Amino acid sequence: MDTEPAASQFPPNFLAFLKENHIDVDVYNVQKDLPRYVRILRFSQKSACEVCELVQQIRTDAKCDVSEVDGVPGFLRIANQDTKLSQLRAYVAGDIIGMDVSSGIAALSLSVEPGDNVLDLCCAPGAKLLLLAELLAIDAGVSHGTVTGVDISPHRIATCRSLIKKHAGSNKGFVRLYAQDGTTFNCRAPRAKWWDPAEIREVQLEHPERKGRRRTMLDKPWFAPKLLSTNYACSESDLYDRVLVDAECTHDGSLAHVQKYERWGWEHLDTQVVNNNRSQSVPILQSQLLENGWRMLKPGGVLVYSTCSLSRFQNEYVLGGFLSRHAEHEALVEVIPLLQNQVAASPIWQPSCAEEWVGLEQHRGVFARMKCAVRLDPRVSNTSGMFIARIRKLSDVQTTFDVEDIAPLKLET
């Protein structure tokens, strides 16, 4: 956007979208000042000396300042946002990938531990999936946990598979992918000791009826290692320890993504961002993804809901609708440990005057419960925009809702 303010270049339809969604157009003026971020692959396996050498090499290739991101392990900040990854030896060698630190924070907010069964319900294009797999294998590269990735598009799942096969190394041995609708996905976590041939033989003896049983497209992984692809690997009852719902959104918080439309043609914003039907349908889709992710989470587990939108209708309203369906003894929005000291996060949107409370008065308690959720405002965090809520499941209550009841908060007239 160079020296011109964003509002002078955006088409009228996008400006109307920003106004309707209460997004300050000035946020896009910081795009030209944002750095580029990359993530060091297999960071936990590198010594401090190796990391320093890698940073120095990237600094030489990029011809600008490169530094580690405080508080977000494995992420580097490249001062020149126009740096091409292909010009970096570390990228060509497979030592780094491009990933905005805001996306990394969303994945790290799950606090994944080795041995967890993790569900990434909207996993494409796969950068967060790859990070989650590394977190599971942080102890000497060995994991008995799993990562299950889901995306409705076979094309996008193929992209995830390519990324996993290229960069995951031995970690791909506990990753499985499903080309399914995240709002209805129902495949349970792998059984305990899925990796143990003796355990699988015991299950085979206990359940001879499974031998030769044809698997449907709804329970067969699109991609999985041999041990995770058998009829006996799935527990059929166990839920997941961690669930990430990085939901489909309008991507208006990804400033670099929005800027690309200057090259692609602003007219494409009409169908991909500002289309009115999409503005109405996306928060409903997000609510359904969040609800299904919650259904697949075990009691005591953690779910992270995130979007790269700045719209309150896709963030606070979706989270508020969820909390209005789940009482305080069921769901707790927790403080995100990663953001307590290092990363400059901003409070979420809350009604701040009588005019803003109109139609939301009955939801004051809901807004009070979501106060620990955060926004990453590009003007404050120096990252892409992101909304993140970490939710702990306190109860084993499983309530079934009619589809029409799974929706964001509604203004009462």
Side-chain angles (χ1 to χ4, degrees):
M1 295 184 186
D2 300 325
T3 58
E4 288 189 81
S8 68
Q9 298 193 34
F10 289 156
N13 282 355
F14 187 56
L15 292 173
F17 167 84
L18 298 179
K19 182 177 181 180
E20 177 188 349
N21 285 272
H22 308 277
I23 299 171
D24 185 354
V25 69
D26 287 341
V27 73
Y28 296 94
N29 290 331
V30 304
Q31 161 59 22
K32 63 183 181 299
D33 300 319
L34 293 181
R36 175 156 203 171
Y37 292 97
V38 296
R39 183 173 76 81
I40 300 174
L41 295 170
R42 300 168 294 279
F43 175 74
S44 66
Q45 300 174 28
K46 288 181 167 57
S47 67
C49 182
E50 288 174 322
V51 171
C52 286
E53 290 176 355
L54 189 63
V55 170
Q56 182 56 51
Q57 181 194 90
I58 296 172
R59 188 178 292 135
T60 300
D61 292 347
K63 297 180 176 60
C64 67
D65 184 53
V66 177
S67 58
E68 295 184 65
V69 179
D70 291 339
V72 192
F75 280 82
L76 302 178
R77 181 190 299 106
I78 301 176
N80 181 4
Q81 64 174 251
D82 295 324
T83 300
K84 300 289 189 294
L85 291 181
S86 58
Q87 78 186 63
L88 306 178
R89 285 171 286 170
Y91 176 77
V92 175
D95 291 322
I96 61 172
I97 61 168
M99 184 179 186
D100 195 88
V101 71
S102 60
S103 295
I105 291 170
L108 291 168
S109 295
L110 280 173
S111 302
V112 167
E113 298 179 357
D116 282 345
N117 286 316
V118 183
L119 173 61
D120 185 352
L121 204 54
C122 311
C123 69
K128 287 184 287 295
L129 188 82
L130 184 62
L131 173 56
L132 294 171
E134 286 190 22
L135 294 173
L136 283 175
I138 205 165
D139 288 344
V142 177
S143 175
H144 293 153
T146 61
V147 182
T148 298
V150 181
D151 196 276
I152 195 171
S153 166
H155 174 73
R156 292 200 298 263
I157 279 289
T159 301
C160 291
R161 179 186 62 180
S162 297
L163 192 69
I164 291 296
K165 293 179 74 173
K166 182 177 181 180
H167 292 300
S170 61
N171 294 349
K172 64 177 176 287
F174 50 86
V175 176
R176 56 180 190 168
L177 302 175
Y178 288 84
Q180 289 191 28
D181 185 346
T183 66
T184 57
F185 179 75
N186 195 41
C187 293
R188 301 307 169 102
R191 66 175 60 257
K193 297 187 178 180
W194 59 268
W195 42 268
D196 185 350
E199 172 73 12
I200 297 302
R201 282 196 297 271
E202 186 174 329
V203 176
Q204 289 172 333
L205 292 173
E206 291 176 357
H207 300 279
E209 74 281 0
R210 294 190 194 177
K211 186 176 181 180
R213 186 179 70 184
R214 293 179 64 89
R215 305 183 73 181
T216 68
M217 292 301 294
L218 293 179
D219 65 1
K220 183 177 181 180
W222 193 88
F223 166 81
K226 186 175 180 179
L227 284 175
L228 276 176
S229 62
T230 68
N231 283 331
Y232 304 98
C234 188
S235 66
E236 298 191 348
S237 60
D238 290 352
L239 299 171
Y240 294 86
D241 301 283
R242 298 286 188 270
V243 176
L244 176 62
V245 182
D246 186 45
E248 172 68 19
C249 68
T250 50
H251 305 287
D252 52 83
S254 177
L255 307 196
H257 179 78
V258 171
Q259 179 62 27
K260 289 177 182 177
Y261 287 98
E262 186 175 13
R263 300 195 309 271
W264 298 342
W266 292 114
E267 66 275 7
H268 295 298
L269 277 171
D270 285 340
T271 55
Q272 299 182 31
V273 178
V274 304
N275 179 280
N276 188 58
N277 289 335
R278 183 166 167 77
S279 296
Q280 299 292 328
S281 63
V282 165
I284 294 173
L285 171 63
Q286 293 165 333
S287 299
Q288 293 173 349
L289 288 166
L290 175 54
E291 196 64 53
N292 195 43
W294 186 254
R295 184 178 65 87
M296 300 298 286
L297 179 69
K298 67 168 52 173
V302 170
L303 179 149
V304 165
Y305 173 74
S306 61
T307 80
C308 60
S309 173
L310 299 173
S311 168
R312 66 181 66 165
F313 301 119
Q314 298 177 49
N315 297 325
E316 289 85 356
Y317 276 52
V318 170
L319 179 59
F322 169 81
L323 294 176
S324 69
R325 296 187 297 274
H326 297 278
E328 290 184 66
H329 68 273
E330 297 177 51
L332 173 66
V333 181
E334 296 183 325
V335 170
I336 300 172
L338 185 70
L339 297 178
Q340 284 185 285
N341 300 311
Q342 301 291 344
V343 180
S346 302
I348 61 170
W349 175 80
Q350 300 248 6
S352 58
C353 61
E355 182 181 359
E356 290 182 341
W357 277 112
V358 172
L360 293 172
E361 278 286 348
Q362 73 279 20
H363 298 305
R364 283 183 179 270
V366 166
F367 277 100
R369 289 173 61 196
M370 68 171 82
K371 64 183 179 181
C372 289
V374 299
R375 282 175 173 254
L376 298 182
D377 184 323
R379 295 167 294 189
V380 177
S381 64
N382 209 32
T383 70
S384 286
M386 184 72 71
F387 176 89
I388 308 172
R390 173 187 163 108
I391 314 169
R392 175 82 61 178
K393 194 170 193 175
L394 302 177
S395 166
D396 60 0
V397 173
Q398 287 281 28
T399 307
T400 302
F401 299 96
D402 293 333
V403 173
E404 58 269 20
D405 295 327
I406 303 175
L409 287 179
K410 293 184 176 65
L411 290 172
E412 301 293 331
T413 56

